[in-house]
Amino acid sequence: MVEFKKLAPPTTGEKIEIVDGKYIFPDNPIIPFIEGDGIGPDIMRASKIVWDGAIEVAYGGKKKISWFEVYAGEKAIEKYGEPLPEDTITAIRHFLVAIKGPLTTPVGGGYRSLNVSMRQIMDLYACVRPVKYYRGVPSPMKHPERLDIVIFRENTEDVYAGVEWKQGTPEAKKIIDFMKNELGVKVRDDSGIGVKPISIFGSKRLVRKAVQYAIDKNRESVTLVHKGNIMKFTEGAFKDWGYELAVDEFRDHIITESELWDQVIADDGVTPTVKEGAYAHLRGGRPAGNQGDRILIKDRIADQMFQQLLTRTDEYDVVALPNLNGDYISDAAAGQIGGLGIAPGANIGDYIALFEPTHGSAPKYRNQDKVNPTSLILSGVMMLDYLGWPEAAELIEKGIEATIEQKRVTYDLARQMGDVKPIKASEFGYAIVENMKKMG
Ligand code: NAP
């Protein structure tokens, strides 16, 4: 039995189990949650109104979440004297699926990012961000609805691994001397040094998750995004290992882009083909009468991917990337559908999944019940889907759309819509529940 120093799990509800490598989700799972700092308590309160409301409407009492508060950040310091207590990690590891609000990272000292620490301690190697448009949300695009992608960003490697040395330190000098003397590589003596490790293990497990997701969710393609034309042995290798993994482990479910080109040219009617939409980018379209069910595996160079998402938006579906590309593209894509206040996220390992909004703790708005809870609400939608409760998840998405279309929105969207009086975060939550009840 799991033991905690200062926590008492709820007395009702059950633990999610893993049997033969597969999840068993009970109807009444215990889900740990971290309220978060700054605006965290406000958006968590509003979100729970929506999540619990949706589950009630969708399942009429047959399913229910037993919430279990665990602590990180400022609340943890009050309770434990430290920002990330062992109890919290133990609880998330034990109960497997959890959700959190944003946590403040003190600038210039204090403690390091708790978000990064949690990802590392629990080896949550895939940062998953679905980016799609909800009707009524103000967007800078003419056709924001054309974007509907799910980003799988590698979370543990690349220049984010934290292997770097400050300019002028003995370590930086040592590396520079080593490169000069042992490898014959010239680097300016006054350089800071960072290392970009990208491994077969790290790349393949990320791509495996992306392809498996594409299969499970009946998506059309997986695009490997890299800068392999310049960084051949890291980014280029990520692409190569991604293709290798897809062919080795998912042969009967996938076709690569080069295979598809060959097949379009041959039009032999024998080669397996992809889902209808994946043909969009191929000159000549799909061969007549030959609609397949394979997932198309393709790759794109990162810089051109930014413009492709703008100009050929609907050709992209599931997208797998190394860490840095993933960071940039996630935010750029979120901008297309109305910004970070809307986009949800999750950090997922082999069995542990921690859902979280993509924005920070916006401390200046704390305790004002003011900010937009949509990013956290939608992170909960991802969680409900992960639990195998799609009815509740879809209900919330429809409820959010209806509420935004009624122009019952928080200050941030009201500001962009013009001439709309903003409502509070909690009022937005209740408005969604009201709309869901009408639909349920
Ligand atoms: P931020 O908290 O995301 O806030 C930046 C601005 O974005 C806000 O001032 C606000 O804009 C807007 N915003 C953010 N969330 C919003 C919401 N829910 N509704 C409406 N508007 C929203 O970024 P930050 O100020 O750079 O970071 C603050 C703290 O959060 C830092 O300590 C940072 O390290 C941390 N952080 C945590 C996470 C995480 O927990 N995963 C992620 C990122 C940052 P306006 O001022 O225009 O209204």
Side-chain angles (χ1 to χ4, degrees), residues 102-105 115 356 359-362 364-365 371-372 411 415:
L103 294 165
T104 300
T105 307
N115 304 299
E356 65 169 354
H359 58 72
S361 59
K364 68 181 178 186
Y365 292 125
V371 299
N372 191 348
Y411 84 99
R415 185 167 61 187

Side-chain angles (χ1 to χ4, degrees), residues 34 71-73 82-86 88-90 92-93 100 103-106 109-125 153 155-156 160-162 323 347 352 354 356:
I34 296 167
Y71 301 89
E82 54 178 321
L84 187 56
E86 187 61 35
T88 299
I89 301 294
T90 306
I92 298 174
R93 280 204 173 117
K100 66 177 272 294
L103 294 165
T104 300
T105 307
Y111 46 84
R112 63 187 300 234
S113 164
L114 300 174
N115 304 299
V116 174
S117 300
M118 276 194 261
R119 287 170 207 164
Q120 284 175 351
I121 294 169
M122 293 185 274
D123 199 20
L124 306 175
Y125 56 84
R153 166 188 168 196
N155 236 349
T156 64
Y160 281 56
N323 211 335
N347 293 292
I352 301 173
L354 180 59
E356 65 169 354

Side-chain angles (χ1 to χ4, degrees), residues 6-322:
K6 296 194 179 181
L7 294 176
T11 47
T12 59
E14 288 170 69
K15 173 181 161 14
I16 295 166
E17 299 284 357
I18 305 280
V19 177
D20 296 332
K22 291 206 159 50
Y23 282 116
I24 308 286
F25 294 116
D27 281 342
N28 183 196
I30 295 174
I31 304 282
F33 72 97
I34 296 167
E35 209 173 46
D37 297 326
I39 55 175
D42 283 347
I43 57 174
M44 189 60 80
R45 201 177 313 115
S47 297
K48 277 197 187 154
I49 292 168
V50 177
W51 301 327
D52 290 339
I55 294 166
E56 177 60 35
V57 174
Y59 307 113
K62 288 200 188 79
K63 290 183 192 287
K64 187 177 183 306
I65 287 176
S66 284
W67 296 107
F68 174 22
E69 181 162 15
V70 301
Y71 301 89
E74 290 157 11
K75 242 178 154 175
I77 293 174
E78 271 170 39
K79 205 172 163 70
Y80 289 86
E82 54 178 321
L84 187 56
E86 187 61 35
D87 266 3
T88 299
I89 301 294
T90 306
I92 298 174
R93 280 204 173 117
H94 182 72
F95 291 104
L96 298 171
V97 174
I99 193 159
K100 66 177 272 294
L103 294 165
T104 300
T105 307
V107 179
Y111 46 84
R112 63 187 300 234
S113 164
L114 300 174
N115 304 299
V116 174
S117 300
M118 276 194 261
R119 287 170 207 164
Q120 284 175 351
I121 294 169
M122 293 185 274
D123 199 20
L124 306 175
Y125 56 84
C127 177
V128 184
R129 288 190 185 174
V131 188
K132 72 173 184 184
Y133 183 65
Y134 291 92
R135 268 197 321 275
V137 177
S139 150
M141 302 297 291
K142 273 192 193 146
H143 289 289
E145 74 288 351
R146 288 186 186 160
L147 190 70
D148 182 0
I149 60 173
V150 182
I151 295 172
F152 283 73
R153 166 188 168 196
E154 205 288 325
N155 236 349
T156 64
E157 303 197 321
D158 203 347
V159 282
Y160 281 56
V163 190
E164 54 177 6
W165 294 278
K166 194 174 172 186
Q167 184 274 326
T169 56
E171 291 83 0
K173 185 173 179 323
K174 224 175 185 172
I175 300 277
I176 293 168
D177 288 346
F178 175 79
M179 288 198 285
K180 204 184 296 175
N181 301 331
E182 303 290 325
L183 304 176
V185 177
K186 267 194 195 160
V187 173
R188 289 191 186 99
D189 285 336
D190 61 350
S191 301
I193 300 288
V195 175
K196 180 182 175 76
I198 290 194
S199 70
I200 298 177
F201 175 79
S203 304
K204 285 195 171 177
R205 68 177 179 172
L206 186 270
V207 176
R208 182 181 295 117
K209 260 211 174 348
V211 178
Q212 188 62 57
Y213 176 91
I215 294 168
D216 293 346
K217 299 289 176 190
N218 203 20
R219 307 289 295 217
E220 286 170 350
S221 67
V222 176
T223 306
L224 307 168
V225 180
H226 59 92
K227 191 68 190 158
N229 52 333
I230 306 296
M231 293 170 272
K232 298 186 196 318
F233 307 126
T234 49
E235 301 259 333
F238 172 86
K239 172 202 67 172
D240 294 342
W241 294 325
Y243 276 120
E244 200 176 286
L245 177 283
V247 170
D248 286 352
E249 297 188 15
F250 298 99
R251 181 64 278 188
D252 293 343
H253 295 278
I254 63 105
I255 184 167
T256 66
E257 194 168 29
S258 59
E259 290 169 339
L260 186 64
W261 272 111
D262 290 347
Q263 183 256 323
V264 169
I265 292 159
D267 194 8
D268 58 8
V270 177
T271 316
T273 57
V274 294
K275 296 181 210 307
E276 184 74 23
Y279 282 102
H281 67 298
L282 289 178
R283 262 176 286 128
R286 77 180 175 85
N290 201 2
Q291 182 176 350
D293 58 359
R294 302 256 177 148
I295 286 155
L296 179 63
I297 310 289
K298 51 186 173 175
D299 74 277
R300 292 291 178 271
I301 291 182
D303 42 323
Q304 80 127 337
M305 186 66 181
F306 280 92
Q307 54 104 350
Q308 294 257 315
L309 281 182
L310 293 168
T311 55
R312 299 171 66 165
T313 313
D314 47 13
E315 291 176 19
Y316 296 97
D317 194 344
V318 175
V319 181
L321 326 83

